[in-house]
Every structure is written in C-alpha cells, then in structure tokens.
Amino acid sequence: RQYTLISCNSHCHTISCKTHRQYTSQNHTTMSSPCPLRIPTIDMLNPDKAALCAAARDLGFFQITNHGLDVDLSLSAAKDFFSLPKEEKLKYPLIPGWNGELMRGYASLGSESADVANNSLTKTAQIDLMESFQVSDPKFTGEDQFPTEDMRAALPALYSAMSDVTRTLLDYLDEGLPESNSGSFSKNHCGRSRSIVRVTKYPALKDSSVTNLVGTGDRNSSDGSSASTKVSRISAHRDLGTLTILKQDAQGGLEVQDPNDDNNWVPVPPVEGALVINIGNLLQRWTAGYYRSSIHRVQATRGTKHDNEDRWSVIMFSNADDDFDVVPLPCCVGRGGEGVMIQEGVNVRAYMNCKMKQLFDPNAREDKGKCKYDN
C-alpha cells in the first residue's frame, strides 16, 4: 500500500488507507509503505471536525484538549474511598444491571473480565487487574449510590459535565455523516440510559493484591512479549456503548489494535490535559460501520519507575437511551470500513441487559455464543 505525507497547520493526522489510495491517483508524491496509524489531538476551542470524524472512521480513537473538564476533585474523593478496607468498600456492591437496573457500585479487584462480553466469547477469559467504582445518572438513582460526602459533592457534577462533552462530540460526529445530522445522536442521549462514570484503580504491579493473582513474572502478554516484561491490566476488548471518554494518568498503557494487522498495537500516549475518546459498538452498529469501534487493551511494563505506583483513570461510558432502538442509518449502509459487518437493529435496553450479563454474571461462560447481540 502507498500513502501520502500531508502537512497540516495545527497538527498532523492520518487519513484512511482508502483515502490514501485516492490521493495517489491524483499525481501526488507517494512512498511505498504501510499506512501509518496516528491518533489525532483535537483542540476543542477551534475543533477540526473533519479530522475528528476521519479519526472516528479510521481507528475510532482521538484525543481532545481544552474541553473544560476537571476530574481532580472527583478523583481525589474516589481515592479516599479506595483507601478504605475492602469490607467497607463491599458495603456498596456492584449492581451490574443485567435485569435493566442502572449500573452502579464497587467492583473488587479481579471481578471483571472484559473479554467475556466484548471480544471473543469462545476464548478463556483473563482477569482484569483493576478495581472500580461506578455511578449512573444521579437524576434516576438519587444520592444513596455515593459512599462518602466528598463523592456525593463531586461526582454528580462530573457526570453532568462529561455528559455535555459527550453530546457535543456526538453532534460533531452527526455532522460528519454522509447525510449531515441524519443520526440525531445527542437527541437520543438525554433520557434514562446505562451510561456510567467509572473511577478505576489499577494497583501497582508490585502490590501484593496483584502478585497474588499473577505472580511476579509468570503472566504472558497477549502479543507474545516476555512474561517478565508485559502484564495485561485489561485484556483486548471493544467498548459496548456509543462513545467513551477517558482521562488517563501519566503512566499510559492504553493500546489500540490495528484493524488491518492483529499483531500491531498502536499506543495512545498520555497528552497533558487531554481526554481520550473512542467509538463503541453501539455507534458502530448505528452507523453501519461508518464509524469504527476498535479493539483495545491496557498493558503495563515491568521494571519501570511505575512498578510501585497505582494507575488511575476516570471514564464515562455513554449509551443511548434505554428505550431507543438503534437501527443502522440508511445513509451509512455500504460506506463502512472494509470487513465491518452491517448488523441488525437492537433495542438498547435488551442489548445492554445481554452484555452486562455476559460481563458480570458468574455463569456467563455458560451463555457464550447464545446472545443474539454478540458482536
């Protein structure tokens, strides 16, 4: 394959291989090389909406700056909660929501295996090395979901602010459809939904809670790297909903799989002040593959300065309203990326019930391959 190097005034971004091939037919200077995969950073004060939508199509990931979000207060309050004894945290057990409840509460270390629900329902699940606390929309759940006064003071405002950013980004993505604004994305993200804000703690690699699960060097990474070097914190998966907003810390470790090469993983480097945005399965289904939901994972490397440091993230997993039926948009059919299957329409409530059951039900392995919404 060939690609063209293109200069941009504000930042450089990569266009799709298909677009590259179109450029090579127009007498541009080209080089014979695999297409580079880059994740652009979009300045929300003067957003390059074309670059944003191109990134959503190519890899499904981009970063944004000058977004107006401040997660520090919520993160500080959550850290105080995570420092409590386990028996105290378990007083706020996770309500996973596979019967339609709004997901909220505490998930202890090792209780989740992302791969079960998202990537391959036939492969042995790998335990995720994290603990988390999630809140759902305070308008529908009240204040009893918050364990501490500090969390009660900080998290509802963060949920509202992240929801506003989500709807803004959905409006940009709506504008970028083949028929502009035909998706009404943000309009269907205003009611009762399975959207959550999650604070996640990944314990330090040398923490006894981690070594008790994976030892000190006997866990192979999925890409075949040395067992003494790589540790999987979250195994390869796709996100379930429409849009994900992530504030990662300086450790990094997030990687996205090249859709054209299963063995090539693209790092998502921490950018100061930036939020990472990615497309989820429901938005890919909604747009008939026009926007891409990519497989990603979180890995850690042993033997670095971070061995004794916890990794933290604050995430919003957005979903369309529970009573909405996601149906592939006619303007997108036939315009999706190569190899993306056009999937049938789904009711969001039924879809999320199925996925939450696969993700959190102890008997989920018995249900592998039996859900009509499996991706």
Side-chain angles (χ1 to χ4, degrees):
R1 291 174 289 181
Q2 295 179 314
Y3 71 92
T4 304
L5 298 180
I6 302 173
S7 297
C8 310
N9 291 329
S10 58
H11 55 262
C12 189
H13 64 273
T14 298
I15 56 178
S16 68
C17 294
K18 181 178 179 181
T19 308
H20 288 168
R21 287 192 292 270
Q22 293 171 348
Y23 268 82
T24 63
S25 67
Q26 298 173 6
N27 298 320
H28 286 260
T29 301
T30 61
M31 299 174 61
S32 179
S33 172
C35 293
L37 292 169
R38 298 176 186 170
I39 298 170
T41 298
I42 309 296
D43 185 344
M44 294 295 281
L45 291 180
N46 184 26
D48 185 341
K49 297 179 185 179
L52 184 153
C53 292
R57 294 198 65 191
D58 292 343
L59 201 55
F61 273 77
F62 54 92
Q63 302 199 58
I64 61 172
T65 56
N66 293 314
H67 41 72
L69 275 181
D70 185 355
V71 305
D72 290 347
L73 193 61
S74 296
L75 183 57
S76 176
K79 284 182 176 181
D80 289 341
F81 171 75
F82 281 107
S83 69
L84 296 174
K86 184 176 180 179
E87 56 268 22
E88 288 297 314
K89 292 182 283 189
L90 289 175
K91 291 179 180 178
Y92 299 88
L94 179 71
I95 300 173
W98 65 66
N99 291 315
E101 312 95 329
L102 295 183
M103 181 180 178
R104 57 197 184 275
Y106 172 71
S108 59
L109 180 68
S111 62
E112 188 172 341
S113 298
D115 181 72
V116 172
N118 305 342
N119 184 20
S120 169
L121 294 174
T122 60
K123 127 184 195 183
T124 301
Q126 191 174 50
I127 292 174
D128 294 337
L129 299 180
M130 67 180 192
E131 56 180 317
S132 63
F133 189 87
Q134 30 270 311
V135 298
S136 57
D137 192 337
K139 296 196 303 289
F140 299 100
T141 53
E143 296 187 349
D144 60 346
Q145 65 176 323
F146 303 109
T148 69
E149 287 298 325
D150 287 345
M151 294 174 79
R152 187 175 294 112
L155 284 169
L158 179 64
Y159 188 102
S160 178
M162 295 186 88
S163 297
D164 289 343
V165 172
T166 295
R167 285 189 283 268
T168 296
L169 293 171
L170 287 171
D171 284 341
Y172 294 167
L173 292 168
D174 208 351
E175 290 178 31
L177 292 172
E179 293 181 11
S180 185
N181 298 309
S182 58
S184 300
F185 295 147
S186 62
K187 175 184 175 182
N188 293 293
H189 284 73
C190 296
R192 184 188 188 277
S193 76
R194 232 64 74 86
S195 300
I196 61 167
V197 168
R198 167 186 285 183
V199 181
T200 304
K201 174 186 177 182
Y202 304 84
L205 296 182
K206 290 192 174 181
D207 189 285
S208 61
S209 63
V210 173
T211 58
N212 288 342
L213 287 172
V214 301
T216 58
D218 59 355
R219 183 189 179 106
N220 283 306
S221 67
S222 58
D223 65 357
S225 297
S226 169
S228 63
T229 302
K230 293 290 187 180
V231 177
S232 172
R233 279 176 156 158
I234 300 182
S235 55
H237 66 283
R238 292 183 177 94
D239 289 347
L240 299 173
T242 50
L243 204 66
T244 300
I245 297 178
L246 162 71
K247 180 66 174 73
Q248 62 175 337
D249 69 11
Q251 282 197 38
L254 176 62
E255 300 174 343
V256 187
Q257 189 180 61
D258 181 344
N260 299 307
D261 182 356
D262 291 351
N263 295 315
N264 183 29
W265 291 87
V266 183
V268 185
V271 174
E272 185 175 359
L275 300 173
V276 180
I277 314 298
N278 67 275
I279 307 299
N281 285 350
L282 269 182
L283 193 58
Q284 175 174 284
R285 185 184 292 254
W286 201 342
T287 62
Y290 189 75
Y291 293 133
R292 183 187 294 274
S293 175
S294 284
I295 295 172
H296 52 285
R297 67 186 183 187
V298 177
Q299 292 212 321
T301 302
R302 299 184 192 272
T304 74
K305 64 180 182 179
H306 299 302
D307 276 6
N308 290 300
E309 299 174 1
D310 299 327
R311 180 184 187 267
W312 295 90
S313 68
V314 179
I315 314 171
M316 174 167 240
F317 294 109
S318 294
N319 286 282
D321 298 341
D322 254 9
D323 59 2
F324 182 67
D325 293 331
V326 168
V327 178
L329 294 169
C331 70
C332 296
V333 173
R335 295 173 181 252
E338 294 180 9
V340 176
M341 181 178 64
I342 299 175
Q343 297 168 310
E344 65 180 279
V346 296
N347 172 261
V348 176
R349 178 184 290 106
Y351 172 86
M352 292 305 297
N353 285 353
C354 166
K355 291 303 178 182
M356 291 301 100
K357 183 176 180 63
Q358 290 179 331
L359 191 56
F360 291 106
D361 187 345
N363 298 316
R365 295 188 183 196
E366 298 177 6
D367 298 325
K368 284 182 179 181
K370 298 178 182 178
C371 176
K372 66 178 291 186
Y373 304 126
D374 289 340
N375 294 302

